[in-house]
Amino acid sequence: MTDSQSTIEVAMFAAAQVLVGSDSVTLTLPAGATAGEVLVQLGERFPELQGLLPACRLAVDLQYVAADHLISPGAQLALIPPVSGG
């Protein structure tokens, strides 16, 4: 890993957690990566997520973010799939 990359953990919830078989995954991101690029990388690394990703939201440091949001090293990421309940 170079200075232009960072390792970041993405927490998985609900259906995403079931599909990847873990409550978190680790990704290596290039410097200046965006939330949208995180979603693309998740889909490439975990093809089983591809059908779910369009409906998911990415939270960074406990806030939902847009696809163009820059990911800072050390940020807390969470993939939040749609949920329903009663």
Side-chain angles (χ1 to χ4, degrees):
M1 186 168 62
T2 67
D3 289 338
S4 62
Q5 293 181 328
S6 63
T7 301
I8 200 145
E9 190 171 301
V10 182
M12 298 284 149
F13 292 94
Q17 182 178 6
V18 172
L19 288 170
V20 301
S22 178
D23 61 357
S24 68
V25 298
T26 302
L27 301 177
T28 300
L29 301 175
T34 64
E37 291 169 320
V38 169
L39 295 174
V40 168
Q41 195 173 124
L42 284 169
E44 290 173 351
R45 184 161 167 211
F46 301 98
E48 58 273 25
L49 284 177
Q50 289 181 359
L52 183 65
L53 285 173
C56 290
R57 298 285 308 268
L58 190 68
V60 178
D61 296 328
L62 306 177
Q63 297 288 320
Y64 288 125
V65 298
D68 62 351
H69 180 86
L70 292 176
I71 305 299
S72 301
Q76 294 179 320
L77 276 66
L79 184 66
I80 312 293
V83 295
S84 62

